[in-house]
Amino acid sequence: MTRNSARTPLAQAQADLYKSTVRLLRRRLRRLGVSPEDAREIVQHAFEIALPRWHEVQDASEGRRRAWIERITWHLGQNFLRLARHEYEELGHRGLARARAPGSDLDERANAARLVDAALSIMLDEERALFVAYFLEDMTLDELAQHYGVSRGKLFHRLAALARAARIRIGSPPR
């Protein structure tokens, strides 16, 4: 008796769904900007969530099953990116926080001003306004995307590039 013949029809259907969708799901997550390692884990987690809920699509067609697992994976990917973005936002603020906060000491204020000026000096006016609004004035990506008329993804990538350039400029190691 082979390994596959020992499976129940239910387990075989689940295995077939995994085989037919795993590469597609990982590729779609990669297009969202998820790293290969994280994409692998998200797809695995999607199936861990989906299999106990198999009764929802047990009698459905193959196409509906694929759409079902794609939707679960999409939601997990979006949640992952939201969490990563919030983590990035917190860490992004720390980049400028490395410059000692202005205190009562005139030298501390001058040093902080030099670091901020150095970070902003390489940027164009529009880039500087975007950088300041996001990192210093705590505007959200949604607010900025609406103001500039671009997608959140494009805006996020532009901010990430500006943050990298600012970190390099002030001598902080890039992430």
Side-chain angles (χ1 to χ4, degrees):
M1 186 192 281
T2 66
R3 185 173 175 205
N4 286 341
S5 63
R7 287 188 176 164
T8 65
L10 178 65
Q12 187 60 46
Q14 293 169 345
D16 291 344
L17 179 66
Y18 182 83
K19 282 185 213 172
S20 67
T21 59
V22 68
R23 290 179 61 197
L24 170 76
L25 296 173
R26 287 180 184 163
R27 192 169 45 239
R28 287 193 176 167
L29 288 169
R30 292 288 297 134
R31 285 188 199 139
L32 283 175
V34 176
S35 72
E37 298 81 23
D38 291 331
R40 237 179 282 125
E41 288 183 27
I42 290 171
V43 169
Q44 191 66 31
H45 187 62
F47 276 92
E48 289 171 6
I49 290 171
L51 294 183
R53 295 173 36 194
W54 186 257
H55 64 277
E56 296 175 13
V57 293
Q58 187 170 357
D59 298 325
S61 67
E62 181 68 24
R64 183 159 179 259
R65 287 179 183 168
R66 289 178 79 142
W68 176 71
I69 194 67
E70 286 174 13
R71 188 172 55 249
I72 291 171
T73 306
W74 174 261
H75 287 293
L76 287 174
Q78 289 296 315
N79 289 342
F80 174 82
L81 290 174
R82 272 189 214 101
L83 288 173
R85 184 180 71 239
H86 288 297
E87 205 172 281
Y88 175 79
E89 287 174 356
E90 287 179 26
L91 294 175
H93 291 291
R94 285 190 207 151
L96 288 177
R98 288 182 183 200
R100 293 172 34 170
S104 59
D105 189 330
L106 194 54
D107 289 336
E108 289 179 359
R109 282 192 215 143
N111 184 39
R114 272 195 308 275
L115 288 173
V116 171
D117 285 341
L120 298 177
S121 68
I122 59 170
M123 298 178 196
L124 302 173
D125 290 339
E126 186 174 317
E127 294 172 336
R128 188 176 304 117
L130 178 65
F131 187 86
V132 168
Y134 185 74
F135 288 107
L136 301 177
E137 296 175 358
D138 293 327
M139 287 183 71
T140 65
L141 282 175
D142 288 328
E143 294 169 339
L144 290 169
Q146 186 177 14
H147 180 269
Y148 287 100
V150 296
S151 70
R152 291 181 72 224
K154 191 173 199 172
L155 190 63
F156 177 78
H157 290 293
R158 186 67 191 137
L159 283 165
L162 290 172
R164 273 193 306 275
R167 276 193 293 282
I168 290 168
R169 184 74 176 175
I170 65 172
S172 169
R175 283 184 252 145

